[in-house]
Amino acid sequence: MKIAGIYLAAGNSSRMGSHKLNLPIGTMTLGSLGLETAIQSSLDTIYIITKGVDDLAWLPIDMKMNAKCTILPCSTAYKGQSESLKCGIQQAQADHMEAVIVMLADQPFITSQMLEEMMTCMKSNPTCTFVATSVDKVTMPPVLLSSSMYADLLTLQGDVGAKSLLQGKFLRKGTILPCADKRLIFDIDTQEDYQSLLAYQEETN
């Protein structure tokens, strides 16, 4: 089963006040941490969805040159997350990917084990249309989506993601994997979030 990663890195960082993917985390940047996890996983390829104009200062050269990675600038990303997602889905269709894992570039603590569990779950259940992460019964990225959902995903408009489809008829065809540690799906939106991240890093070092 060929599975691609769609790494959404085209946000406006409006709540942060600066380009948050550039924020330093030890010797790396916020935007590169989740990507490193994706590269280390068994994903076949990774589409890095960026804004139409992005100097990619947050992206280390070895990741830019990694054979798994393809950088896809999305000129319409300013219209909302759905545009970035559709950019990745269209590429997945062109590459005949059977499923995609949608990841957010501001979720630094996603683990390879989480990604592998999602892929194993779908591969063992061919009728499964998605595998989603949840915390306290709330669905969160990352989410694994089968090619049977591509057409519906391409109809999304505005600042919404795949989560908006994971209900009703689709919910009955998917699998939810509870995440016991909220920190693993923590996303960085504000300066307060960033300071919490740095404090956590100090605790674990």
Side-chain angles (χ1 to χ4, degrees):
M1 188 176 198
K2 294 177 65 178
I3 303 177
I6 297 180
Y7 194 71
L8 299 179
N12 293 320
S13 303
S14 55
R15 294 174 62 190
M16 182 65 69
S18 62
H19 192 15
K20 62 183 174 182
L21 301 188
N22 283 329
L23 293 171
I25 309 293
T27 60
M28 300 184 69
T29 61
L30 172 60
S32 66
L33 286 171
L35 183 57
E36 181 180 54
T37 298
I39 290 171
Q40 291 172 349
S41 76
S42 61
L43 285 168
D44 291 280
T45 189
I46 302 160
Y47 308 131
I48 305 170
I49 314 300
T50 65
K51 288 187 280 191
V53 178
D54 187 337
D55 61 10
L56 301 179
W58 58 274
L59 190 58
I61 187 65
D62 61 317
M63 293 187 184
K64 289 180 186 178
M65 303 301 292
N66 191 284
K68 270 192 175 185
C69 296
T70 300
I71 298 170
L72 296 178
C74 179
S75 61
T76 56
Y78 67 92
K79 294 182 179 180
Q81 189 183 105
S82 65
E83 295 297 311
S84 297
L85 178 59
K86 288 188 287 188
C87 182
I89 294 296
Q90 288 166 347
Q91 189 63 49
Q93 287 180 316
D95 292 342
H96 305 291
M97 291 291 155
E98 297 166 85
V100 296
I101 291 185
V102 181
M103 302 176 64
L104 303 184
D106 61 0
Q107 282 185 315
F109 298 135
I110 298 300
T111 67
S112 293
Q113 181 180 351
M114 292 172 67
L115 301 182
E116 299 301 335
E117 286 179 353
M118 297 175 82
M119 288 187 277
T120 297
C121 181
M122 180 166 285
K123 289 175 181 178
S124 64
N125 183 6
T127 62
C128 183
T129 58
F130 73 86
V131 181
T133 308
S134 75
V135 172
D136 296 333
K137 298 184 179 180
V138 177
T139 304
M140 304 283 290
V143 57
L144 173 59
L145 307 163
S146 80
S147 58
S148 65
M149 293 191 66
Y150 291 174
D152 291 279
L153 291 163
L154 291 173
T155 67
L156 295 176
Q157 299 290 329
D159 196 26
V160 298
K163 180 180 177 180
S164 62
L165 289 179
L166 306 186
Q167 52 190 329
K169 64 176 182 178
F170 283 119
L171 186 59
R172 296 190 294 273
K173 298 178 181 179
T175 300
I176 305 293
L177 297 180
C179 179
D181 189 345
K182 292 182 181 181
R183 290 173 297 188
L184 297 182
I185 50 84
F186 183 51
D187 62 324
I188 312 301
D189 287 325
T190 65
Q191 282 291 340
E192 290 75 14
D193 293 339
Y194 178 53
Q195 294 305 318
S196 296
L197 169 61
L198 294 179
Y200 176 68
Q201 288 289 100
E202 289 183 6
E203 290 175 9
T204 56
N205 289 338

